[in-house]
Amino acid sequence: MQIAVFGASGGCGRRVVELALRDGHTPIAITRRPRESTPPAIPRTCSPYTADGLAAAIDGAEAVISCIGIRRRNPLNPRSPLASPPDTAAVCTANILHAMQHSGINRIACISAAGVAESRSACTTPIRALIERTNLRPAYDDLEQMEQALAASDTTWLALRPTTLISLGSAKPPRPTTRYALFSITPRRAVARALLDFATGNARAHTTNAMVAG
């Protein structure tokens, strides 16, 4: 099946595209700049910050995967200053949902984060302090608004809440956890696998998962 992948040039997005190709699907790699395309996927250029062109970008897709999130000046430091608007995920997701409605696409899987909304109660005290008292807070507020937009939509959706992402590790499906501590980790390939499995699956209900760990 054809799957539109937003954020296809990022750490999780690239892995979604790779796994989709390996599984025999046809990913549509949607990025903001042509040089960020991920061949041999279908490359399409579009900015989800605006609604213009989104319907054309997802044309032919049967499901959508979004790996969009706030960017920081130093990608290796989650507490570095923001390099994108503080409402990036919420605005982009709202625009994507509108385009999906126009195109008749009903299934979407997005990356959220452990510690968003009610899952914050499962965080240890140090993690809660980092979320609430540092410049991590805008990203979590943004993802909570994104989840609210998904919940208010008529789509079949998943907001995956991984713990701290790492580049190493396998694509083995992540397991649920009820505790998010400083050393809780989730491989990006595992996140990509979970997103892809949902996008190509048969689940019908609106849902958001519990936190996941590798």
Side-chain angles (χ1 to χ4, degrees):
M1 63 185 291
Q2 287 198 2
I3 305 164
V5 183
F6 286 88
S9 63
C12 289
R14 290 196 307 270
R15 289 164 174 83
V16 169
V17 170
E18 291 169 2
L19 290 175
L21 289 167
R22 183 177 301 177
D23 290 354
H25 301 294
T26 303
I28 302 170
I30 303 173
T31 57
R32 288 180 296 167
R33 289 178 288 274
R35 64 183 178 83
E36 291 183 346
S37 298
T38 312
I42 298 173
R44 291 183 183 167
T45 303
C46 186
S47 173
Y49 287 107
T50 65
D52 298 338
L54 276 180
I58 63 176
D59 181 53
E62 300 167 71
V64 172
I65 293 175
S66 175
C67 300
I68 292 173
I70 286 178
R71 292 188 178 188
R72 297 187 180 272
R73 294 180 186 174
N74 180 358
L76 300 178
N77 180 4
R79 289 183 286 176
S80 68
L82 302 184
S84 56
D87 57 356
T88 293
V91 169
C92 291
T93 301
N95 289 335
I96 291 169
L97 288 169
H98 181 76
M100 288 174 61
Q101 184 180 31
H102 178 81
S103 301
I105 303 171
N106 185 55
R107 184 178 295 272
I108 180 171
C110 301
I111 298 178
S112 185
V116 169
E118 82 287 346
S119 71
R120 193 165 303 169
S121 62
C123 296
T124 59
T125 299
I127 292 295
R128 285 199 301 272
L130 285 172
I131 293 172
E132 296 172 356
R133 301 176 187 176
T134 72
N135 68 340
L136 288 176
R137 182 66 180 262
Y140 282 80
D141 290 345
D142 182 30
L143 291 172
E144 184 168 356
Q145 293 174 33
M146 178 196 76
E147 290 191 9
Q148 290 170 356
L150 290 168
S153 74
D154 293 327
T155 60
T156 299
W157 58 274
L158 171 71
L160 192 69
R161 291 172 172 172
T163 54
T164 301
L165 293 170
I166 61 169
S167 294
L168 300 176
S170 72
K172 180 180 179 181
R175 59 180 177 82
T177 182
T178 57
R179 187 171 181 270
Y180 178 19
L182 283 173
F183 298 104
S184 298
I185 57 174
T186 310
R188 287 184 172 85
R189 288 181 64 82
V191 170
R193 170 50 64 194
L195 293 171
L196 187 60
D197 285 350
F198 181 84
T200 59
N202 297 311
R204 299 297 180 188
H206 304 312
T207 180
T208 180
N209 75 308
M211 296 182 292
V212 295

